Structure formats: C-alpha cells, structure tokens
Amino acid sequence: MTILLYELVGRDEGRPFSPHCWKATMALAHKGLEMSTAPTRFLEVPAVEGGVSKTVPVIRDGDKVVTDSFAIALYLEEAYPDRPSLFGGEGGKTMARFIERWSQSTIHPYVTTAALVDLHAMQDEQNGSYFRQSREQRFGKRLEDVVAARDAGLATFRAALEPLRSMLSYQPFIGGASPLFADYIVFGALQWARIASPYKVLEDSDVVAQWFTRCLDLHGGLGRKVAAAA
C-alpha cells in the first residue's frame, strides 16, 4: 500500500522545502516504501486529515495517521521491522533524538536567518502575507532586518558545526558506514537551505558539505530531484 505524505510547498508544488518533511521523505525511502505526496501550503495545513496537526509532515498509512517527523520515523521502524532500520537499535533512537535537538538549536536558527526573505518569496500572495506576519511577529522585526545579520553570523555558524565535521572525519555518515535517521535530520536542515536560498552556508571543501553531497546521492539521488535555489 502506498503511504501518503503531506509535505510543505510554496507557490511551486514541485519544490517541497520543509526540513521536517524532508526527514520523512528520506525515512520512507530508506525503508523502501512506496509513497505519494500531497503538496500542502501553510494556510492549508489546518485542514490536513481533519485538522490532526498544526504542522506537516503528516502521513497516512492505510487507516493510520501519524504526525511529526520523529514520530513518523518511530512508526515506520515499528510497522516495518523487516525493512532497513532507521535507528539500528534503541541506542540509535536516543542518539537521533540528541541530533534532532542539536540540529534545531544550532542549524535551524542560522538557516532561518539566512533564508527568511527567500522563503517568503517562494509563497503565493496569501501564504506570503501569512508568512510575513507570523514570522515578523515571532522575531519582532522585519524579515529583511533578520536576514541582514546573515553575513555577520556565517563564520560563527560554520564553527558551530565543528563537532559534526570532526566526527565525519572518522566515518562517512552520522550513522557510521551507512546513513540512519540521524543523518536525515541534519540533511533535512541543510536541504531546506539548499532549496530555499542561493546563499552559500557551507564551503564546497567542507567535510560537512561533502557529507551532504553523499546524502543528496542516496536513494537514487532523491534529494537532487528538487534543484538548488538559483
């Protein structure tokens, strides 16, 4: 049975950009499960599956509806134990939870700073108005003023990735010899940046950028099916 994934898009339905939806996309591919997608804009999220969640991703697998990217990964691991593991055991689940917290406190804030105006430009008129109002209320300043800080913060952001950079000098993936859900968590954050904005958050020579390239090539180049922002 094909699993339906509700994923966040802007004006262009072919450019899903949410880091959390990309985590779910990669998890489904890792498990080798057939999926279809329901492109969903910000203002459409409250209607997904009768209002089951305030955010996407959301999946429907038969009569089962699951929300939240991490909960989706846990569900897939339990529901499809015969498929490749997303965690490699209980320890992998706790490791992935740590990676998720680290990514959302280290990578997400800077990507937001770097790409906020570009993310706004991806939306249609109604969703763009919602995006600007909600984000400017959150930050207490204009989107353009948030993004104005990206150059000054770039070196600090890159330095903050040193633990990941150091670890990847020992092994090709966060999961070791092959990727696990922990890889998809960080991949989702950097894929968000890649799709939303042409602003270069990593140098090509960076070990982290090289790992990201390996992730783009996974599952038949799934991550490359959406072109980088020009």
Side-chain angles (χ1 to χ4, degrees), residues 17 48 61 96 110 125 148 161 165 186 198 203 211 230:
F17 58 85
V48 167
D61 184 15
Y110 184 74
E125 183 176 355
L161 300 182
R165 191 174 292 117
V186 182
E203 293 287 354
W211 161 85

Side-chain angles (χ1 to χ4, degrees), residues 4-218:
L4 176 63
L5 168 68
Y6 293 87
E7 59 182 4
L8 193 64
V9 300
R11 183 185 300 105
D12 185 346
E13 292 188 356
R15 295 186 63 77
F17 58 85
S18 163
H20 308 294
C21 295
W22 273 103
K23 285 186 257 179
T25 295
M26 297 296 276
L28 286 160
H30 184 101
K31 283 288 189 182
L33 297 166
E34 290 188 20
M35 60 174 281
S36 61
T37 61
T40 308
R41 295 175 178 85
F42 282 110
L43 294 175
E44 297 167 343
V45 172
V48 167
E49 293 291 342
V52 69
S53 176
K54 294 181 179 179
T55 60
V56 289
V58 173
I59 65 167
R60 171 172 282 281
D61 184 15
D63 60 0
K64 183 72 172 179
V65 174
V66 187
T67 69
D68 178 77
S69 58
F70 206 99
I72 288 169
L74 293 173
Y75 165 76
L76 296 175
E77 189 78 344
E78 181 177 345
Y80 300 95
D82 57 324
R83 303 296 184 103
S85 176
L86 285 163
F87 299 102
E90 290 300 314
K93 294 177 183 178
T94 57
M95 177 189 74
R97 187 65 82 182
F98 169 80
I99 293 293
E100 182 182 59
R101 296 295 90 198
W102 176 81
S103 178
Q104 291 189 12
S105 63
T106 303
I107 302 178
H108 283 232
Y110 184 74
V111 172
T112 299
T113 297
L116 203 57
V117 169
D118 296 307
L119 284 161
H120 175 258
M122 294 178 73
Q123 313 308 316
D124 61 23
E125 183 176 355
Q126 280 188 313
N127 285 276
S129 295
Y130 158 78
F131 185 88
R132 178 175 287 277
Q133 181 180 13
S134 62
R135 271 52 181 180
E136 290 185 347
Q137 183 176 15
R138 180 185 303 175
F139 290 101
K141 61 180 72 174
R142 296 171 64 248
L143 303 183
E144 291 77 8
D145 294 332
V146 175
V147 173
R150 68 184 181 183
D151 288 346
L154 182 58
T156 299
F157 166 70
R158 290 176 174 175
L161 300 182
E162 186 55 35
L164 176 60
R165 191 174 292 117
S166 178
M167 189 199 70
L168 290 170
S169 69
Y170 291 94
Q171 59 200 55
F173 293 99
I174 298 171
S178 58
L180 292 173
F181 189 63
D183 289 90
Y184 304 142
I185 291 169
V186 182
F187 169 80
L190 295 177
Q191 178 77 325
W192 177 34
R194 172 183 172 270
I195 291 170
S197 175
Y199 189 77
K200 200 173 184 67
V201 299
L202 295 173
E203 293 287 354
D204 292 341
S205 59
D206 193 327
V207 170
V208 177
Q210 294 165 6
W211 161 85
F212 181 66
T213 296
R214 290 194 292 276
C215 290
L216 285 170
D217 291 334
L218 292 170

